[in-house]
Amino acid sequence: MNGYAGNKDDLLKRLSRAEGQVRGIARMVENDKYCIDILTQVSAATSALETVALSLLADHLSHCVAEAAAESGPVAEEKIREANEAIARLVRS
């Protein structure tokens, strides 16, 4: 079972809204809208995706990593390494 299983419906709703935002941005570009207005919408879509990413990360830490840490050993080390790499990717983006 994935750590986000209890949060899946909320994640799917957020992703659907972000998808709609991106389609709206494409329409704005097609319709030659003002650059700053487009950038504002890009920022909103980026923020929506970051919210999804942080939610997934929190679920992963509280479920997958915590479970592996309780068992300790190489599995725990691998889960912690994965989490660190995921955090690094989020910080860089």
Side-chain angles (χ1 to χ4, degrees):
M1 177 186 246
N2 290 314
Y4 61 83
N7 203 18
K8 187 175 180 178
D9 289 339
D10 181 54
L11 289 171
L12 290 171
K13 285 178 192 173
R14 288 179 181 276
L15 287 168
S16 180
R17 274 184 256 150
E19 181 181 19
Q21 285 178 305
V22 171
R23 281 195 306 269
I25 293 166
R27 280 192 302 276
M28 291 176 80
V29 171
E30 287 172 356
N31 295 326
D32 298 318
K33 297 296 182 185
Y34 186 55
C35 299
I36 297 301
D37 293 339
I38 296 170
L39 288 170
T40 299
Q41 292 307 309
V42 168
S43 178
T46 301
S47 179
L49 288 174
E50 286 173 350
T51 299
V52 169
L54 290 173
S55 177
L56 285 167
L57 179 61
D59 290 340
H60 181 66
L61 291 173
S62 64
H63 180 264
C64 303
V65 174
E67 198 174 272
E71 295 174 18
S72 71
V75 173
E77 291 172 14
E78 174 65 13
K79 293 293 182 188
I80 291 169
R81 184 192 60 74
E82 286 176 347
N84 282 329
E85 289 175 359
I87 292 166
R89 283 191 303 272
L90 286 172
V91 170
R92 281 193 297 264
S93 61

